[in-house]
Amino acid sequence: MLVSDTIHDLVIVGSGPAGYTAGIYAGRAQLAPVLYEGSVTAGGALMNTTEVENFPGFPQGIIGPDLMDNLKAQCEKFGTKLVRDDIVEMKLAGDIKVLTDGSGNVLRTKSVILATGSAYKEIGLVNEKRLSGRGVSWCATCDGFFFRDQEIAVVGGGDSAMEEATFLTRFASKVVLIHRRDSLRASKIMIERATANPKIEFVWNTEVIDVLGDQNVTGLKLRNTVDGTESERAFTGLFVAIGHSPRSELLLGQVDLDPEGYVKVDGRSTRTNLPGVFACGDLVDHTYRQAITAAGTGCEAALDAERFLAGH
Ligand code: NAP
């Protein structure tokens, strides 16, 4: 275990648009922030996205990982130290916060910005977990390629499901979108794109109750949510796109969370219930959950941290 004498002004936990934007602002404010990007999750959810069409300033669109590379380079330009590791333990009460990383380094800091984002939700089926990586996936851009000329299912009715289904038609012979209700939650433009795609079939009022297959996915067991009838249908892949949950496990018992696990912040600010601890991005956001809103709250968190440090 490596314990440094240094007391940092600010450590940012998490990358993605929120963490990196906090890094840009705090670096530029000369707070010499250390930003923990995460060992496997560096760059956050946009690393698994294709084209981002609605981030202001890019009229031609930009590929998700390219956008994250740009934000990262902008952090480095202002002297933010990026660490490709996880924070595995945090003690956030008191004037000096103590954080331990995955390599055993112990950092002490006067303030912390939490920007750990959210993780893919699972349906919660035993065989979904067992067959994960063997036909069950949460990331079309990562795994779509493996399903060339196959018939696959996507579960969900939001923008993620529309995006995944549309993207998967590049590879699959057919994509069946299974939704538990008879209307979609997704935005109009995404629905139009998916419904216009001849390779996508919609199956309404249906939930997945089991994933079938011994070594690999061979099919799904389905239940009609209106009349309760059950059926089976052959698929070689299942893409789960049913939303995200905040990644706040490490914060349990320390920072106030709401019943769904999102970090509670004070009004329009990024202040948590603990002085010197700020939260931003998908970790606090039930509602908007866009790259640009995450970046906006990352900026706010850096400004809140800067003001806090100036007052102490
Ligand atoms: P979401 O909007 O919360 O939608 C989740 C969908 O999954 C809903 O249709 C929900 O059904 C369904 N669902 C939830 N739990 C389920 C379960 N256990 N079994 C079956 N179905 C379940 O999540 P999202 O699509 O990931 O989008 C999250 C946010 O990111 C949104 O604000 C979205 O606009 C944004 N986003 C934007 C883009 C883009 O603009 N390019 C792309 C992706 C995501 P119900 O409808 O019945 O609740």
Side-chain angles (χ1 to χ4, degrees):
M1 185 173 285
L2 303 164
V3 185
S4 158
D5 288 340
T6 309
I7 297 181
H8 297 280
D9 275 335
L10 172 64
V11 175
I12 300 165
V13 187
S15 44
Y20 285 141
T21 303
I24 293 166
Y25 272 75
R28 197 160 174 276
Q30 306 206 317
L31 299 179
V34 181
L35 189 158
Y36 272 79
E37 298 181 276
S39 56
V40 289
T41 55
L46 283 188
M47 297 303 281
N48 298 332
T49 307
T50 47
E51 184 114 0
V52 182
E53 294 179 321
N54 50 9
F55 200 92
F58 298 94
Q60 311 304 329
I62 181 166
I63 302 298
D66 291 349
L67 178 60
M68 290 303 102
D69 280 348
N70 288 350
L71 294 184
K72 189 172 160 162
Q74 213 170 342
C75 277
E76 285 175 318
K77 174 178 163 187
F78 293 118
T80 297
K81 186 181 170 200
L82 303 179
V83 184
R84 210 176 173 114
D85 201 348
D86 301 309
I87 291 295
V88 295
E89 196 185 333
M90 302 191 220
K91 292 184 184 136
L92 296 172
D95 288 343
I96 304 298
K97 289 86 178 68
V98 183
L99 277 58
T100 307
D101 74 16
S103 310
N105 300 304
V106 177
L107 288 90
R108 294 185 297 156
T109 178
K110 293 178 200 162
S111 67
V112 175
I113 291 177
L114 303 168
T116 47
S118 54
Y120 301 119
K121 260 191 203 162
E122 298 177 5
I123 303 172
L125 305 168
V126 174
N127 287 328
E128 172 193 19
K129 221 176 190 75
R130 183 178 62 81
L131 292 166
S132 154
R134 297 162 177 220
V136 180
S137 170
W138 283 262
C139 175
T141 49
C142 318
D143 300 327
F145 182 78
F146 301 114
F147 296 88
R148 199 169 282 281
D149 299 325
Q150 300 178 33
E151 193 155 320
I152 52 185
V154 173
V155 179
D159 281 336
S160 296
M162 298 308 114
E163 189 172 43
E164 300 274 276
T166 305
F167 178 78
L168 286 166
T169 58
R170 291 185 195 192
F171 310 102
S173 54
K174 184 171 203 174
V175 177
V176 178
L177 196 134
I178 300 170
H179 183 40
R180 62 185 179 184
R181 292 187 297 127
D182 63 359
S183 66
L184 297 165
R185 185 180 291 277
S187 55
K188 205 165 169 237
I189 185 169
M190 306 284 270
I191 295 175
E192 279 172 5
R193 210 169 281 167
T195 46
N197 191 317
K199 278 188 171 181
I200 301 179
E201 174 192 336
F202 285 80
V203 172
W204 304 105
N205 296 319
T206 299
E207 58 188 357
V208 176
I209 53 171
D210 202 1
V211 186
L212 309 173
D214 186 12
Q215 295 299 318
N216 295 295
V217 173
T218 55
L220 298 176
K221 194 166 182 186
L222 306 170
R223 180 163 51 212
N224 186 298
T225 53
V226 178
D227 61 21
T229 51
E230 294 185 2
S231 59
E232 287 184 10
R233 182 162 173 178
F235 292 105
T236 50
L238 167 66
F239 285 80
V240 181
I242 59 170
H244 303 82
S245 311
R247 296 176 66 210
S248 56
E249 305 82 7
L250 282 183
L251 307 171
L252 271 174
Q254 300 204 62
V255 172
D256 282 352
L257 306 178
D258 74 10
E260 290 172 69
Y262 290 85
V263 175
K264 283 190 184 171
V265 288
D266 181 15
R268 276 269 296 114
S269 81
T270 65
R271 290 188 300 271
T272 69
N273 61 310
L274 296 179
V277 180
F278 307 90
C280 56
D282 281 5
L283 189 62
V284 300
D285 185 2
H286 280 264
T287 317
Y288 301 106
R289 307 174 55 78
Q290 305 295 307
I292 188 65
T293 53
T297 59
C299 158
E300 291 171 4
L303 296 177
D304 284 344
E306 195 184 340
R307 282 184 198 135
F308 169 82
L309 290 164
H312 288 71

